[in-house]
Amino acid sequence: LPTAPPSPAPPSSMQRRLGAIRTGAALARRGLCSKSKPAPEASPLIINFKHDGVASISLNNRPVNALSHGVCLELRAAIKELEADGATRGLILGSALPNLFSGGLDIRAFHRPDLEQLTQYWTSVQELWLALHTTRLATVAAISGHAPAGGCLLALSCDHRVMVSGGYGIGLNEAQLGITAPPWFSQLLADRIGARRAERMLMTGQLFSPDEALAAGLVDDVVSLADLNNVASSRLAELLAVNERGRVSIKKQLREPAAEALRERQSEDLDWFIHVVQQEDVQAALGAYIESLRKK
């Protein structure tokens, strides 16, 4: 007699909790927002499960995907939850907004700041970077447009970077506002593109075009928008095809020293950043920039 087909494996706890994954369910304030019952506020993250242990997170924080305090907290929490889900092995980090990956940190939080709120915000930035930079997940950044400053940091923290062609810019351009990128920003850039090139980019606040970024090693592929998702998925599949123990071990070996250096000096890094932001010339530059945005 023919045997009955095996019962399908039960969904993982992560999959059960997020549910409706094939319809592009959104995780808002760490709760599920289904398409039939939209959330009162749009979620800043859209999380999808695909297949073969792959998930995607799309930033969805209008108008420029700023990495606000809330976004940093939610993105870190999502990464940790995906790590805890044994079925998930890879992550594609992208954007739900056109022509934009992320506009970077929320500079409004730096202008005439409340010190307690600024402390909480910068701590959330530190913790997000530590989570993304050291995650066991294989990660690919699908960069669909501009990625200055903190947007560039997110991309640099992934294992592979695919960027769309066109008139977009990517880089750590904090110097243009009188802000010094902290050591864990600048060293990450130097590790990717070399010390001399990183030094010049950091001092001048230069942004690279996609082709310049490819030539420098800042991104690994430049593709059309139509090909972005397919190429990002293919690059992630290549990473996942490697023996997982070996891939995760070498990633930890190479990345843990920088992470540990920040952990050991996290309080000093916070004090230094607050000091830099409070300088009058920095505040003046931030105010002028924010005012220019209001006029656009």
Side-chain angles (χ1 to χ4, degrees):
L1 294 175
T3 58
S7 300
S12 70
S13 60
M14 183 70 168
Q15 290 169 323
R16 286 195 301 270
R17 195 163 68 79
L18 294 180
I21 54 182
R22 278 173 280 189
T23 62
L27 182 68
R29 302 300 171 193
R30 304 192 66 187
L32 188 66
C33 304
S34 69
K35 287 190 174 181
S36 58
K37 295 180 181 180
E41 296 181 6
S43 170
L45 304 180
I46 297 174
I47 300 179
N48 290 311
F49 285 88
K50 296 187 176 182
H51 56 81
D52 297 333
V54 173
S56 70
I57 297 178
S58 297
L59 301 173
N60 187 40
N61 188 31
R62 294 181 182 277
V64 295
N65 274 344
L67 300 175
S68 65
H69 180 223
V71 170
C72 289
L73 291 176
E74 291 200 29
L75 183 52
R76 178 186 181 275
I79 292 168
K80 290 298 184 181
E81 290 183 38
L82 291 172
E83 284 181 328
D85 174 48
T88 304
R89 301 171 55 230
L91 169 65
I92 296 175
L93 181 60
S95 169
L97 304 186
N99 304 313
L100 184 71
F101 180 62
S102 169
L105 302 183
D106 184 1
I107 63 171
R108 295 171 301 176
F110 303 157
H111 188 236
R112 307 301 177 198
D114 174 271
L115 291 186
E116 182 177 351
Q117 291 178 355
L118 183 60
T119 296
Q120 294 173 353
Y121 180 37
W122 191 248
T123 301
S124 73
V125 174
Q126 293 172 327
E127 292 295 336
L128 170 58
W129 178 73
L130 288 169
L132 181 58
H133 186 63
T134 63
T135 180
R136 69 163 179 83
L137 303 172
T139 54
V140 174
I143 309 165
S144 54
H146 294 293
C152 180
L153 179 73
L154 280 187
L156 287 171
S157 302
C158 292
D159 303 333
H160 194 97
R161 288 162 292 284
V162 184
M163 188 172 187
V164 295
S165 58
Y168 304 115
I170 183 171
L172 298 179
N173 63 329
E174 289 83 356
Q176 293 184 9
L177 293 176
I179 299 175
T180 305
W184 44 285
F185 276 51
S186 55
Q187 187 58 54
L188 186 61
L189 181 66
D191 288 344
R192 302 295 184 268
I193 69 173
R196 176 62 185 128
R197 188 173 273 153
E199 179 182 56
R200 181 161 184 79
M201 170 179 271
L202 290 163
M203 288 195 304
T204 62
Q206 178 186 8
L207 295 177
F208 284 168
S209 69
D211 288 338
E212 289 171 334
L214 179 64
L218 182 54
V219 301
D220 302 296
D221 296 285
V222 172
V223 300
S224 68
L225 180 60
D227 291 332
L228 178 63
N229 289 336
N230 286 339
V231 174
S233 296
S234 294
R235 297 296 183 252
L236 184 58
E238 291 170 4
L239 289 170
L240 293 178
V242 178
N243 177 279
E244 186 164 7
R245 182 182 297 275
R247 176 181 56 76
V248 173
S249 295
I250 196 65
K251 181 175 180 178
K252 182 177 180 180
Q253 178 191 110
L254 294 173
R255 297 192 176 200
E256 190 59 32
E260 189 59 32
L262 175 58
R263 293 188 190 104
E264 290 176 355
R265 293 184 51 82
Q266 198 161 353
S267 179
E268 291 87 344
D269 180 79
L270 172 62
D271 292 342
W272 170 85
F273 183 76
I274 290 176
H275 171 75
V276 169
V277 167
Q278 287 183 304
Q279 299 307 300
E280 280 304 317
D281 61 325
V282 174
Q283 286 296 309
L286 288 170
Y289 181 68
I290 292 170
E291 184 61 28
S292 71
L293 295 179
R294 292 194 185 105
K295 294 177 180 179
K296 290 184 177 180

